Amino acid sequence: MTTFHPTLRSIAAVLALGVVTACGGGGEAAKQPPPNPIATGQVPSYYPGDYTQVIEASKKEGGTLTIYSNTDQENWAPIFRDFRKKYAWVTEIAANNLDSDEVFQRVLSEQATGDSPADLVVSNAAQAWADFAARSGTLLEYASPEKGKLPDFAELLPNVYAMSVDPLSIAYNTALLPEKPTGLKSLAAILAKKPADYQNKVTTRDVGGAFGFTVSHAFAAARPESWTSLASVLPLARPETSSGTQLEKIMAGEYVAGFFVSAAPAYPVVAKSGGLLEISFLDDGTVALPRGIGIAAKAPHPATSKLFVDFLLSQEGQRAVAEGGLTSYRDGIAVGDGLHTYQELVTSVGEDNVILAKYAKVPDDEVKSFTDKWNGLLGR
């Protein structure tokens, strides 16, 4: 049995369909990708000869796996489906859906009592990951045999690997915004034509949260000249704590546009919106945020956890990652039919315009300075 929990993304997708129906629109559903071929019970030839010991150990662990994550059910669905095809004895995968920071707070609290059911930890809260990974006794040391087949940035921190690398976008309501924004500077120019009409009609991520701080800080640090555009856009904007909420309110017309909206939840809403919602990647700097995964130090099912991490990083697993709506980054994954890749992003905006967010701890004084400056510009 696979356990999921509903999230705002599901609500946003439902709302998108409702709005399209109300508008008399339709739009075809996104095409389904072809089946993902899975080599059942087999591993790549480049795996070490003693990898069979990991497989046999997993068979003795009861066929269960518990994941603490901030990842939504539709993202996980094809990954769990294909992992269970490959290793049929894994029959129960439980994945909760917590806030980005809450993932670590929950694990740390449980580890302190010596009784945590968490096998795997998944989040894209870079700051929180850097703090968590630096603590003693939080992560199991594990070198995946897939590491040599991946880009250098695949290992985000010691024992923390990138599950996906998801770009941030500008999402906008095509019925309410007269022009397509191609970047932050472009959005600022559009809004500047009638600023009074757009007061409180733009949304961005709350920099008080780990996700919002990471992507906003990464963008401003890589593009310091962007503060000119931010000084024009932020006074018209209101912060939200999730991309699901942003998309819901853009679809409903409460906002005309949002910037630094994760593309992962936006893709299915765009596909079902009949053209009412569109996204664009910023031609003046698109932040790409890796989603990290690591094995908990006291994972109840360590061998099965290793199998899962290796599968996730493999060609088969990265194809499933893309099918779930996240952005895969391993070479060789075909795009189209709803599948998206990091390589596709690079082709779209150019390598120089991709800002890869780092998993590194930002000093507290820098965090305060940045958030004070950002929040001081917000219209609220």
Side-chain angles (χ1 to χ4, degrees):
M1 183 182 79
T2 301
T3 303
F4 296 116
H5 300 270
T7 64
L8 279 170
R9 182 177 302 177
S10 301
I11 297 170
V14 171
L15 177 62
L17 287 171
V19 171
V20 172
T21 302
C23 293
E28 296 182 2
K31 292 182 179 180
Q32 293 297 311
N36 187 12
I38 301 296
T40 302
Q42 302 176 38
V43 298
S45 59
Y46 52 84
Y47 278 32
D50 60 359
Y51 197 81
T52 54
Q53 296 176 18
V54 180
I55 294 175
E56 292 305 312
S58 171
K59 291 179 179 178
K60 299 175 183 178
E61 290 181 344
T64 64
L65 194 66
T66 299
I67 304 173
Y68 281 17
S69 85
N70 70 334
T71 305
D72 291 346
Q73 67 175 54
E74 54 267 56
N75 300 139
W76 281 127
I79 298 170
F80 291 169
R81 178 200 67 203
D82 291 347
F83 180 68
R84 292 171 63 189
K85 283 182 184 178
K86 192 168 189 70
Y87 302 113
W89 61 88
V90 183
T91 57
E92 183 175 351
I93 307 176
N96 58 20
N97 191 353
L98 307 169
D99 290 339
S100 301
D101 291 327
E102 188 183 359
V103 171
F104 303 100
Q105 295 165 0
R106 179 80 65 86
V107 175
L108 287 171
S109 176
E110 293 175 348
Q111 286 182 340
T113 67
D115 185 24
S116 175
D119 290 304
L120 293 155
V121 182
V122 175
S123 177
N124 51 12
Q127 280 273 95
W129 255 124
D131 179 73
F132 183 79
R135 295 170 181 255
S136 177
T138 56
L139 290 170
L140 186 72
E141 291 187 14
Y142 184 58
S144 172
E146 293 289 353
K147 182 179 175 180
K149 303 294 182 180
L150 300 169
D152 291 342
F153 61 77
E155 188 171 25
L156 304 167
L157 294 164
N159 308 306
V160 181
Y161 294 94
M163 168 177 163
S164 63
V165 182
D166 302 308
L168 281 298
S169 70
I170 293 176
Y172 60 101
N173 187 311
T174 60
L176 299 176
L177 201 67
E179 302 173 48
K180 173 184 177 178
T182 60
L184 187 66
K185 187 175 181 179
S186 167
L187 178 62
I190 295 169
L191 300 177
K193 294 176 182 178
K194 294 183 177 181
D197 291 351
Y198 297 119
Q199 186 65 49
N200 296 325
K201 291 293 185 179
V202 181
T203 180
T204 188
R205 285 300 285 262
D206 185 355
V207 295
F211 183 99
F213 173 81
T214 295
V215 299
S216 304
H217 181 265
F219 178 81
R223 301 288 189 271
E225 69 279 6
S226 68
W227 281 109
T228 300
S229 297
L230 288 168
S232 175
V233 175
L234 284 175
L236 306 177
R238 290 188 296 172
E240 298 288 353
T241 58
S242 78
S243 293
T245 301
Q246 290 176 310
L247 292 165
E248 180 182 341
K249 292 183 177 182
I250 293 169
M251 285 291 300
E254 183 172 338
Y255 297 125
V256 300
F259 62 102
F260 301 158
V261 178
S262 177
Y267 286 135
V269 182
V270 169
K272 297 172 184 176
S273 74
L276 184 61
L277 182 78
E278 294 291 346
I279 64 171
S280 59
F281 296 122
L282 288 72
D283 57 13
D284 44 7
T286 293
V287 176
L289 180 62
R291 185 178 303 263
I293 182 169
I295 303 173
K298 297 180 181 179
H301 312 102
T304 306
S305 299
K306 292 175 183 179
L307 293 184
F308 188 84
V309 169
D310 296 338
F311 170 77
L312 199 60
L313 301 178
S314 71
Q315 196 81 14
E316 296 169 331
Q318 284 289 291
R319 165 60 168 71
V321 164
E323 185 177 342
L326 301 178
T327 303
S328 69
Y329 64 95
R330 181 171 175 140
D331 288 337
I333 306 300
V335 299
D337 294 332
L339 306 180
H340 299 281
T341 69
Y342 177 77
Q343 292 78 3
E344 176 190 28
L345 173 66
V346 170
T347 300
S348 174
V349 301
E351 190 168 5
D352 290 343
N353 278 329
V354 176
I355 302 168
L356 191 64
K358 298 178 181 178
Y359 272 44
K361 183 73 173 175
V362 178
D364 290 344
D365 58 344
E366 187 175 341
V367 172
K368 185 178 187 306
S369 174
F370 176 83
T371 55
D372 285 351
K373 183 176 182 180
W374 186 278
N375 289 331
L377 290 171
L378 277 174
R380 296 287 179 176

